[in-house]
Amino acid sequence: MLKTAPENDTQFVTPDNSENSSQADGRVVAASNVTMQDIANLVGVSRITVSKYFNGNQSIKAETRKLIEKVCADLNYIPDQNAVRLVKGKANLIGVVLPVLSEPFFSEVLNVIGMETGKLGLRVIIFCSYNDPAREAAALLALRATKAQGVIITPVFSQDNAELLKKLEQEMKIIFLDSYITPKCHFVMNDNLQSTGLQTRYMLSRGHRPAFLAAPPVANPSGPERIAGYLKAMQEADYAPYLVPLNNVDATWDFEGFAMHHTLNMLGSGEWEKSGRNALICATDRLAIGAMAAFRKFGLEPGRDVAFAGHDDIPVCEYLHPPLTTVKQDVVMIGRAVIDFLKTDESRFTAADPYFQKIIQARLVVRESA
């Protein structure tokens, strides 16, 4: 579980130009030399209570936590992380490594992670690999050097860092978010088979004949699982599937451009007309945005001539024309599950049950596009 420090005073640092001082019980505390005992005196609690606060102990009353936070804010003090690491062996730090920062799903999950780690008195540091294995490796090594308490990672779709991650898992807590290299790991992700099945069965129930547009190969297993969810639902309905042809596919996070390119190719080749389809299910909402634009270039209006469904329910879906039918991932539950793993005592994992693995179901959101 998340480690706590021995009940020792922790030194604090403040900017050199700080002239602040605080007064309590007639005693002035110099801002440049505050100790944990000083903070305890100002708040009116024991030093042990203040120590628990800085170590993320959740047993502290909300009112007491707010008082401690106010005193620290008034004094402009933050823990000296070097001192904390020496005492604890670990920093009050959680690392997050993502392949891109522009993806709305990641932004939403980061918001939840930030809220949950804040309750524990932990800081979050975010690294972006830019889908580059070398940058990803550098980020992981930097977090090991800082003695972070844990790492949340959405890995690059590559085997380049498989051995490094395997080694680091012996030294620090690592959980995979939305994607992994091997299923033999700790992970939290959406139930992609369930969510894509929801899209497909809904389309079929409306009398539509849906095709499927897959995402670029940037995430495993979510990409293949979303295809599998579509194929399974079509098979159950005894209806032939149709996958939008994807040729010379690059591992890109430019989903809109990717969808536009491959949808235009399909429409221009006449394959769409030959397929006899009147609906398109997209593996992500961003793919749907690009595909809808492509259909308009051929004079086909989304929501009227072609039914559309996306996946993720990013904030813009409600404001598209037409508003996009989609499935909404439970981002709050996903983010909280990631933090639950970081709080889990390592003794909970056994040879018979070695991994923390959470697969979280989504729900259908119906709008005018389908």
Side-chain angles (χ1 to χ4, degrees), residues 49 124 253 260 269 352 362:
T49 297
V124 177
W253 282 89
M260 169 79 83
S269 69

Side-chain angles (χ1 to χ4, degrees), residues 48-368:
I48 292 176
T49 297
V50 176
S51 177
K52 286 181 178 179
Y53 165 79
F54 284 114
N55 289 315
N57 191 304
Q58 297 184 74
S59 66
I60 300 173
K61 294 179 180 178
E63 183 179 354
T64 302
R65 184 180 296 276
K66 289 180 180 179
L67 287 172
I68 295 172
E69 289 172 352
K70 183 179 186 305
V71 169
C72 291
D74 288 345
L75 295 174
N76 294 322
Y77 279 99
I78 59 173
D80 179 345
Q81 293 302 313
N82 291 322
V84 170
R85 282 196 292 270
L86 288 173
V87 174
K88 298 176 65 174
K90 292 289 183 182
N92 278 351
L93 180 70
I94 297 298
V96 180
V97 184
L98 300 173
V100 292
L101 297 179
S102 57
E103 178 61 34
F105 169 76
F106 293 140
S107 299
E108 292 185 61
V109 175
L110 281 173
N111 185 54
V112 178
I113 289 171
M115 295 293 290
E116 294 301 310
T117 52
K119 296 175 184 177
L120 300 172
L122 298 169
R123 296 185 302 138
V124 177
I125 183 169
I126 302 165
F127 288 87
C128 184
S129 67
Y130 299 97
N131 220 36
D132 179 357
R135 287 176 179 263
E136 179 180 84
L140 290 166
L141 293 172
L143 288 167
R144 180 174 69 173
T146 63
K147 297 186 180 295
Q149 295 205 23
V151 174
I152 302 162
I153 182 170
T154 301
V156 174
F157 190 61
S158 165
Q159 291 292 319
D160 287 14
N161 292 327
E163 287 302 316
L164 173 62
L165 282 161
K166 184 177 180 181
K167 179 180 178 181
L168 292 180
E169 283 176 318
Q170 307 304 312
E171 304 176 23
M172 59 201 307
K173 302 190 77 171
I174 297 179
I175 187 157
F176 292 82
L177 170 66
D178 191 52
S179 183
Y180 52 63
I181 294 175
T182 169
K184 295 182 178 180
C185 68
H186 305 295
F187 67 74
V188 175
M189 63 181 56
N190 177 69
D191 188 340
N192 296 294
L193 293 173
Q194 177 260 354
S195 59
T196 309
L198 281 176
Q199 293 170 304
T200 309
R201 284 188 289 274
Y202 171 75
M203 285 289 203
L204 292 168
S205 74
R206 300 283 292 176
H208 297 306
R209 303 180 300 278
F212 187 83
L213 174 61
V218 293
N220 177 66
S222 59
E225 283 181 348
R226 292 184 188 183
I227 297 173
Y230 164 75
L231 294 175
K232 183 174 184 292
M234 295 293 281
Q235 181 181 29
E236 290 172 349
D238 196 26
Y239 201 99
Y242 179 79
L243 300 176
V244 175
L246 303 176
N247 302 313
N248 302 317
V249 176
D250 293 324
T252 177
W253 282 89
D254 178 12
F255 287 3
E256 296 88 351
F258 176 92
M260 169 79 83
H261 172 75
H262 291 287
T263 304
L264 287 175
N265 284 347
M266 176 188 65
L267 293 167
S269 69
E271 286 295 317
W272 176 256
E273 187 175 0
K274 291 178 186 177
S275 74
R277 306 299 160 134
N278 65 351
L280 183 61
I281 297 170
C282 299
T284 76
D285 296 331
R286 292 176 58 204
L287 289 170
I289 291 170
M292 289 166 72
F295 271 90
R296 285 194 173 101
K297 286 182 178 292
F298 276 75
L300 298 170
E301 184 61 28
R304 184 191 67 194
D305 303 313
V306 183
F308 266 87
H311 192 294
D312 298 340
D313 195 31
I314 62 176
V316 73
C317 287
E318 186 177 357
Y319 306 103
L320 294 174
H321 177 67
L324 185 63
T325 291
T326 185
V327 287
K328 184 175 184 63
Q329 300 185 69
D330 193 335
V331 176
V332 172
M333 187 172 288
I334 289 171
R336 287 177 176 171
V338 167
I339 303 304
D340 285 344
F341 162 74
L342 296 174
K343 293 190 293 185
T344 301
D345 195 304
E346 294 178 8
S347 62
R348 168 250 188 263
F349 305 112
T350 64
D353 184 19
Y355 301 116
F356 181 101
Q357 298 183 339
K358 297 288 185 182
I359 300 174
I360 297 170
Q361 293 196 337
R363 63 180 177 85
L364 184 68
V365 180
V366 176
R367 298 192 178 99
E368 287 89 332

